[in-house]
Amino acid sequence: MTPKKKAKAITKGSAKKTRPRKRAAGAGRSSSSTDYKASWKAASDSSRSDAARIKDFGKLTNAICDDRAVLNGMIGVLRDVKTSLDVRLAALAALQAASFATIRFRPCRPPYFAALRALATDPEPEMRNRVLGLLMREQDSLAQKLLLDGLKKPDKALVPPEKALQLLSYDVKASAYPIARRIVEQPPSSDAKAEALRLLAADAKSVGIFEQRLLDKKESPEIRQISAAALQALAPEKLQQYARDIVMDTTESPAVQATSLTALAQFGKEEDLSKDEVLSKRVERIQSSDAAQQIKQSAKQFATKYIEK
Amino acid sequence: MDVALRINNSADPRARYVTWAPSRCSIRVTNTTGIIGLNVGVELRNRPSTAGGQVLFSRNATGPWSATLNLSLPRIGTSVPFFVVGRFGRPSLADRDAVIQVRRGTTIVLATPFMVRIRKDANALTPAERDRFIAAFAQLNNQGAGRFVDFRNMHTNAGSPEAHGAPGFLPWHRAYLLDLERELQAIDPSVTLPYWRFDRPAPNLFTLDFVGVANNIGTVQFSANNPFQFWRTDGVPGVNRRPFFNTLTAGANVITEAATLALGTTYDGFQGMEGNPHGNAHTSFGGFISSIGTAARDPLFFLLHCNVDRLWARWQRQNNRFDAAQAAAFDSNLPAGNRIGHNLPDTMWPWNGLTGAQRPPTAPGGSLAMSLSAPAPGPQPRVRDSLDYQGRVTQSARMGFDYDDVRFV
Amino acid sequence: MDLQVLTAESSEEQFAALVETAVGSQSVRLLLDLLDERHGVYEERSASTVARMRGWLLELISRLPDGAPDSALPYVLEELDSGRDPYVVAAAARALRSRHRPDPAFAPYLAQAIINVQDHDEFITFAAFGEYCIDESGATTAEAEVRATIDWLHSCPTTTLDCCSTQPSFSERSFAGADRRTLDEIATIPLQDQVSRWTTFGEMFQGRPSFLVFFYTRCDNPRKCSLTIAKLRSLQQTLLERGLAGRVRTAAITYDPAWDTPDRLRGYARNRGLHLDEENRVLRSSAEDLLSIRRYLELGVTFVESLVNHHRIEGFLLDSQGRVARRFERLMWDEEAVADSLNGLLGEVESHEQLVSKRSTAEIASTITSAMAPLAVLGASLIPKCPLCWTAYMSALGIAGLDRLSYPYWLLPLLSFLALVNLGSLWLRGRANGRMAAFYLGAAAVFVVLMPTTVLSPAWIRPAAVVLTLAASLMSVSNALDRLRVHLQLATHRKPAGQPLRNSATTLDAEARRPLLRKFSRFVLRY
């Protein structure tokens, strides 16, 4: 369609307000009118058991896009802090599932999104957790602001720091790197440190941080494995060399050796590794030793690719 | 005496992959030493085995099918056509574990290895099958720098109207999965996409050695020898996925398979499965998989959609809905029609390369990957091409994939 | 009130307060300065914060008594054309609507804006900076604002949509002729391409007209970088169809060199079908050098650490000397227009090459003539012109038979002295030329002549010495080869690999000597 025709088509309908259509053009007859009205009546009946209501919510996914009353009612249940958490979460799941029908969900999105923003500070931690995740996956600026504020001032935190860091990684431009670096140096918890490192794994300037942690035998295997994965993307040639050194070092952690062997097997240069007899001998010794199953499996992967060919 | 065998109309070993649907084959004499007379009789059969792939033979695409086939081959080398179908219930476990033996009397004159390559339940894969799949997938991802980035970019908010909320939802995803699967097969031809049967527990799927186990905040952990530990999308390593159900003992919060198949006997009823179970399967988790824009960042997403596609395949077989000319097989919404990309004759983005206007601004990934074992649906598939995936209506429309529990014969 | 105080360290509250003051005092210039992507206030902020700030700016501009001025229009249309954030798009629609004169040319941008936001619209409020809507009350949406602006377009009495046949060229700024700055500042900046080959900015962009775009692989706006590279591919196709492929270059440089390794560059380009070869590349510089490029080309990009937090669409037409001939900003450029411009630049090169070619032919002829001058001199000097010359020839012939005479004891010191005088002359002239080859030849000749006559002095020694001496003299007086080489280099616009062009001083030296030689030739020939 040329820009002229496109402009014409749009302007023909410009005066109308957008509202959910009874049936979006070409969207299919996806919800029978009688069925969903009955389901909605049952679901919105607060005298019924939570389990029964949750089951009914599951049947209303398609109706949300077709009927504004169902949409508004569902959002009302979601926002109602007096309703049980499980029922509210079921309403959230139904709305979320409906959002997958992108075209039909268009007019529903503004009120849905507004509700999510309101719920970012919900008294229920699980609700905040889920809602902030949904918002951050849409790279919402309010959610970013709330999470960063919570990291800078723990008394304002809406979720634990590791969760905040995890969610902030959805947007690499969220300006979270400075605080992530601080947390790596002074972690409130090991989980927070791990998530801070994962977030920094998208930062090309953090190669030094990952090198330091990978090579530090005092670090936990999880931190070292995260560092190896980060380096494989940020500085692959360095990681390949470190991985080889780690495999050759008999005093190394088996878990880190297993990760190193996997990195070599998956991403190593075939022309170099197939000629590396010293490394091959080491791998064969690992295979025949009584080492942990994990490392033996990685050794087998390596051997299959580079030794047994 | 020597003979030459062609599977899927090709002598290329890369074409030697069959499914439950008929594959066109041919055989001819290439060396007449020891042949007396104008013709020579041969018998085609499977190599005896208790496990691994097996086929059935027939002279015609419509059967009857049998475990052996006797053919008379002209001495002068004229090709004799025949068909094979994978024997239902006997898919291959590894590449080339199936063998067609050509016998003349008691002498085996030719033994051609091939594979009955079938999409399977992820929860039931052997460790070797699982590991091959993961290795190929991780290589396709290549820490965020591999071809997988195209598949991630095909399934974003920008491209979502091409694939969701309209009747083309199922055809589009079928083409999408096939494209990905063929890319995986370019790395390891023995690999198929497994499906996650989301209405049942899948304790072998949600493990450190497969799609990972989430910690309490939803960061997925992998074992040290799982290549997925190097998974990276959008520049960020790892997978975020927090299940809202017990993955070891329960299925996702979806309607049962029986209820799904009972959604309607016509497409416009069945397509409601986009909401439940499809949407519900997505939203049974927090994390990447629960939002359209980020869902393709999680490898599990493809196993989820493989099951969605399998459900469609099962519904098609149950109701005989393979023919695009049949009104009940698709919701064309006539006379108004559907949004562009959701009508039977429409080509599908991104494989059609169309951008701008009603289409997204770019078309990542180029045309749909080709396969030597099945030329369909072609580089720029149309919506209607996705329906006849087994070639029931037109034999040449066969797309080269099948499910372990959706038979052809 | 001084908006210069707004920096990367300013808080958002300070920003809001100052810009609201600017609106109150109608300081349009200051507001427009803030719309420039390069303003320091956007550095080191998250992308979403920058979006909020810019959206708020556009909203405030819409509140000016005369509405959004013409100079704000490119920013407004840019957000409608390629913006994804509903807040900014809504503000842009309001800013457009604030103008007094609807223009049907805006219609395509509004149509595009609806497509851009319709799948992720949200409730928006412009009651105050930094406010978010948590329900419908008092809220608008991006789509509603765009549609309201479309209705405003309808109010234009002369508007029919049939008249919006072409897009206004808001996106171009042309530099013509003398505005083209030289590339000296950035010519030597190293660039690495998608297969890890190194080149420099000068080597890449001098010699042929080029089209250069900027992008980065982590751009999450499909209507910016992804589309830019996809359109670059489309441009390559257009150039191929027009027979321009191989005669012009296309290139893309990343804003994110630390992350965009050659592998990532190659993958990104390949995934969008971009053709890559010697003349068509995707490149990265170092982070430090990117600053120089950014400064030189006045790139519209800001960063949070090394990540781009905001950038505009931009493309540059570079002439055969790598100077900016034309730039496209904000709105996506059209492949046909770019191909036309490249063709035009190519025409400039070919005209110049033809001129140089003509000049070269004349120069070569002149050079050959000049090269002949010493020969003419030599020839003229050899023709006997007077009794003394005849005597000299007889003497020369006699000298040839000198060895038959009995040895005059004074001859060797005399000849040695004359040889040294000749050598000294060669040395002096060689110093002046910067070329010492003639001197070395002459020195070799002297050495050969002065070697003792032993078994190590074969019979060909003396003739060889004569030849060497003659060659040294001719070389010394002739700079013909020198001039010829310089002119050939200029004619092909290339420097020999690894060698700088001769500096202008030396060239001038050689150039200056030619008239002298001509004068001398004429003087000799007169006699």
Side-chain angles (χ1 to χ4, degrees), chain C residues 229-303:
Chain C
I229 300 300
K231 283 178 74 74
L232 198 64
R233 178 202 170 275
S234 175
L235 172 65
Q236 289 177 340
Q237 187 61 33
T238 305
L239 293 172
L240 188 68
E241 286 161 9
R242 292 201 195 182
L244 299 176
R247 297 164 66 197
V248 299
R249 293 188 181 120
T250 66
I253 295 180
T254 178
Y255 291 128
D256 192 3
W259 180 261
D260 288 340
T261 58
D263 280 348
R264 289 201 175 98
L265 291 175
R266 188 172 63 251
Y268 193 89
R270 186 194 57 215
N271 292 346
R272 282 149 189 79
L274 199 64
H275 174 71
L276 298 169
D277 60 21
E278 288 279 340
E279 310 294 347
N280 303 281
R281 307 199 205 178
V282 282
L283 303 144
R284 67 170 181 166
S285 64
S286 68
E288 295 72 32
D289 287 336
L290 183 65
L291 283 175
S292 303
I293 296 173
R294 184 182 170 192
R295 206 178 314 118
Y296 176 80
L297 291 176
E298 299 169 3
L299 297 181
V301 59
T302 45
F303 296 86

Side-chain angles (χ1 to χ4, degrees), chain B residues 60-72:
Chain B
N60 305 300
T62 52
W65 303 97
S66 59
T68 61
L69 181 66
N70 292 310
L71 294 173
S72 177

